[in-house]
Amino acid sequence: MIRRVTIALLLAALMATATAASAGASESGQQSRQQQPGERLRGEQRSLLQALEEAGKFNTLLKALRRTGLAEELADGGPWTLFAPTDRAFAQLSDQRRKALLSGNDTAWLRKLLEHHILPGAVPESELGVLSHPQALNGQLRISRTDSGWQVNDVPVAGSEIRSRNAIIYPIDGLLTPFDTTNISPGNH
């Protein structure tokens, strides 16, 4: 009898804890919900990489993703939110910096740089304002709204979101540099 009462009390305590945890999770804000990997985006057939290829303005990014091994990870994983530097963003770098970055000699740094552009979870444009300081795969970002549109770390979002089955992609015409690698980037050492 005491054993049954003890088991019943333990079960009741576990259920109360689970109920409190789920209530706390729903009250903790949308930021934590949106950054959690979840289901595929409905209605989309193409992968993140296919969407980048079809857009035609992310060729340098695609080469960099393949060089670092991130392409394979992003192809089927996710969902993700990718702030995708356009070819124009890479073209704005000095020749020396672009060559140092994309030469293949420092893929660890290039991977860190690219991971700074990727959020876990799919965040649609209608919910970007909820995430003021989201955590990327490498470092924290700052998302803000200006009169001309959204910015990520002061780099403007340069177009509408692009959807794929496992990601939402935001074109940006600049590169986001992780704080912890600023002084050790290729060409600076």
Side-chain angles (χ1 to χ4, degrees), residues 55 57-58 82-84 86 88 124-125 128 145 148-152 155-163 168-174:
K57 59 184 176 182
F58 301 106
L82 173 63
F83 295 102
T86 61
R88 180 179 173 193
E125 187 173 355
L128 275 178
R145 179 92 178 163
S148 57
W150 292 104
Q151 290 189 339
V152 182
V155 174
V157 172
S160 300
E161 67 182 36
I162 300 167
R163 289 183 172 245
I168 295 178
I169 302 161
Y170 294 97
I172 57 174
D173 281 335

Side-chain angles (χ1 to χ4, degrees), residues 64 68 70 90 93 97-98 100-102 104-117 138 175-189:
T68 60
L70 277 169
F90 285 99
L93 298 173
R97 181 136 166 83
R98 187 173 47 257
L101 182 63
L102 301 172
N105 295 333
D106 199 344
T107 56
W109 191 89
L110 179 57
R111 185 178 174 100
K112 282 184 180 185
L113 178 80
L114 294 174
E115 287 175 342
H116 196 61
H117 293 77
N138 179 29
L175 280 128
L176 309 175
T177 304
F179 177 74
D180 66 334
T181 59
T182 304
N183 294 325
I184 60 168
S185 63
N188 289 344
H189 59 281

Side-chain angles (χ1 to χ4, degrees), residues 132-148:
S132 59
H133 291 88
Q135 184 66 37
L137 295 181
N138 179 29
Q140 193 170 34
L141 302 176
R142 184 181 68 258
I143 298 176
S144 58
R145 179 92 178 163
T146 66
D147 292 338
S148 57

